[in-house]
Amino acid sequence: MSGKSVGDGVLRSNVKFSVIPETQQSPYKDLFPAFDGKGLVRAEPGGFVYHQNFAENCHKIYNMKVRSDDVWIRTFPRSGTTWTSELTWLIMNDCNFEEAARVGQPIRSPNLDANYINHWDKFAAEGSFDTMDIITIDEIEKMPSPRVLKCHLPFDLLPPNLLDTAKVIYVARNPKDAIVSLFYFHKLVNLCTFTGDLETFVDYFIDNKVLWTPYFGTVLDAWGKRSHPNLLILFYEDMKKDIRAQIKRISTFLNKPVTPEQIEKLVDHVRFDKFSKNESVNYTKEIKAGVGKDDPNNTFVRKGQTGGWKNHFSPEVNRKIDEWIAKNLEGTGLKFVTELNDQ
Ligand code: PPS
């Protein structure tokens, strides 16, 4: 979709946002108390659900200057963003593991939409902002090349020339594990929060009333562009199954060769048990600083498994999700792996 300038030289996307009234009322505002009764907004077309603060500022992202050596990572949340960003950043930076350890991933590979979450003003007032490592769009514009940026936004809200100018990696994860992981994320991080149970969360999720939904809108937005030479689609489950093969795909796509020794170092660097302890990527310091709840059983890099949903969904909930998946995937050619024997 192409945008238009409204006379101030700033290009505006054709997407329009409006408040979702239900999100300002009970029971929603009690189940999702972090939104302070302000609720969430929905973008049309596309249905993307986000904070009002984003709606007011999204033109800043839409107007970003895309560079030909940028890599933009797009995902539905909890689908392997951090894992893929780390590999991509290292591949783009000649496997500089020292720098990756020295500088946190949120600085090296910033998240664009994180700038416009409602709560930064509150975190700032509480004094935890400095430790948040959120960098502004203005700072991102000044970052040295090559930049590895990430976001959870649909193409309509990103610069219109993005895909024709830069490389884009989309990471997809099967919706069952993505739902469970997003549920735990809501329990962990104060920017969203959820007071209900998983079954209730599932209902709001498949009804596209959870922050960052609609899941299928986001995934199919990328899937529909899968033949574009600047787009690489990765699957979390393929990464779990054979990370070496996916590292080689990323390296080929980016035209950044890696040696067999570098591949082994990358594999070791992102090995789940090691990655979950890596403070450069695991947000432990931000969570301890007040961004989330310090709970050893619910961490940002949490379980890292495919099929964990089987320990969470009742047969009835699982049936409901299966029907929702079947309806949304019909005719798309997209299929998800939801279980793995070897991982
Ligand atoms: S976020 O919040 O959107 O940035 O989250 P995201 O990074 O996309 O996804 C988090 C889930 O990815 C898992 N993860 C990994 N799995 C396997 N190997 C590695 N190295 C790895 N790193 C992160 C992480 O544990 C989250 O999934 P769950 O199912 O919650 O464990």
Side-chain angles (χ1 to χ4, degrees), residues 1 6 68 81 84 94 157 197 201-202 222 253 271 339:
M1 175 176 297
V6 287
S68 58
T81 327
T84 307
D94 304 320
L157 292 170
D197 58 16
F201 188 80
V202 167
F253 173 69
R271 217 182 56 228
E339 298 177 43

Side-chain angles (χ1 to χ4, degrees), residues 290-302:
V291 171
K293 294 159 198 80
D294 190 10
D295 174 358
N297 297 315
N298 186 17
T299 45
F300 180 85
V301 181
R302 194 182 59 92

Side-chain angles (χ1 to χ4, degrees), residues 304-323:
Q305 291 289 306
T306 292
W309 60 269
K310 286 191 283 180
N311 303 321
H312 288 86
F313 297 149
S314 66
E316 191 191 328
V317 170
N318 193 36
R319 207 172 309 118
K320 194 190 295 183
I321 296 175
D322 279 336
E323 280 168 21

Side-chain angles (χ1 to χ4, degrees), residues 22-190:
E22 187 189 330
T23 64
Q24 297 181 320
Q25 297 152 10
S26 292
Y28 192 97
K29 68 184 177 74
D30 311 310
L31 287 165
F32 296 89
F35 307 138
D36 291 336
K38 287 186 195 154
L40 296 173
V41 292
R42 188 183 298 288
E44 293 297 352
F48 181 67
V49 174
Y50 214 58
H51 299 274
Q52 291 182 27
N53 194 18
F54 176 78
E56 285 151 24
N57 288 286
C58 64
H59 59 279
K60 292 179 189 160
I61 294 177
Y62 193 73
N63 282 272
M64 279 178 68
K65 288 187 184 59
V66 182
R67 302 180 198 162
S68 58
D69 54 1
D70 278 348
V71 187
W72 291 51
I73 294 167
R74 282 195 53 210
T75 61
F76 184 82
R78 310 304 291 165
S79 299
T81 327
T82 315
W83 190 7
T84 307
S85 301
E86 190 69 357
L87 288 170
T88 303
W89 188 89
L90 282 163
I91 291 171
M92 289 302 289
N93 287 276
D94 304 320
C95 290
N96 190 340
F97 290 98
E98 292 74 29
E99 189 71 354
R102 199 181 64 78
V103 184
Q105 193 192 95
I107 298 286
R108 284 181 284 122
S109 177
N111 182 333
L112 304 177
D113 38 315
N115 272 283
Y116 302 115
I117 287 167
N118 277 348
H119 278 290
W120 291 158
D121 45 354
K122 200 160 124 190
F123 290 140
E126 287 165 0
S128 53
F129 189 79
D130 284 354
T131 62
M132 272 304 300
D133 290 349
I134 293 297
I135 62 172
T136 64
I137 299 299
D138 285 345
E139 288 168 320
I140 293 171
E141 292 278 26
K142 290 182 200 133
M143 276 175 72
S145 292
R147 300 181 301 184
V148 177
L149 309 176
K150 61 190 172 212
C151 69
H152 302 307
L153 304 171
F155 276 118
D156 277 355
L157 292 170
L158 294 173
N161 64 342
L162 172 62
L163 199 50
D164 289 330
T165 310
K167 294 257 163 65
V168 179
I169 299 179
Y170 188 89
V171 194
R173 185 182 195 183
N174 82 77
K176 294 185 179 183
D177 284 324
I179 292 174
V180 171
S181 185
L182 191 59
F183 170 76
Y184 280 106
F185 184 78
H186 273 71
K187 295 283 181 188
L188 171 71
V189 175
N190 297 338

Side-chain angles (χ1 to χ4, degrees), residues 245-280:
Q246 301 311 312
I247 290 172
K248 286 180 198 160
R249 284 186 73 207
I250 299 171
S251 134
T252 305
F253 173 69
L254 299 176
N255 294 321
K256 291 288 283 183
V258 278
T259 66
E261 293 74 26
Q262 285 174 325
I263 292 179
E264 290 318 308
K265 281 191 181 164
L266 288 166
V267 171
D268 181 61
H269 182 76
V270 298
R271 217 182 56 228
F272 184 80
D273 57 334
K274 195 167 175 185
F275 205 65
S276 62
K277 296 187 195 88
N278 179 347
E279 291 208 352
S280 185

